[in-house]
Amino acid sequence: ASISGARSKTGTSFATPFVTAAAAVLLEQEPLLSPAEVAEHLAANAADLGETGFDPVFGHGLLSMQRACAD
């Protein structure tokens, strides 16, 4: 939070804790997944942003753990 109120945040340093938490939730549900399988699952559940598919600005897109958190 800033003195002038809430502002949106962007960037990998801000995204990292969210991706880490998503990976932890996924591994709690499926502990035998390999690191590559975790990455594949997270990428497959991201909402595509920008150019179609992976791109240098948005990567795989906006991470969504809605299905995992619905259980």
Side-chain angles (χ1 to χ4, degrees):
S2 70
I3 294 171
S4 60
R7 292 185 290 184
S8 60
K9 307 288 187 208
T10 63
T12 55
S13 61
F14 192 74
T16 299
F18 292 99
V19 175
T20 302
V25 168
L26 182 58
L27 284 169
E28 180 182 23
Q29 295 172 350
E30 299 184 50
L32 299 179
L33 291 176
S34 70
E37 290 170 324
V38 171
E40 193 175 293
H41 181 81
L42 295 176
N45 286 290
D48 194 20
L49 302 172
E51 296 177 23
T52 302
F54 182 86
D55 66 74
V57 175
F58 295 104
H60 290 286
L62 179 62
L63 179 62
S64 174
M65 289 301 292
Q66 184 173 6
R67 288 191 319 193
C69 292
D71 294 338

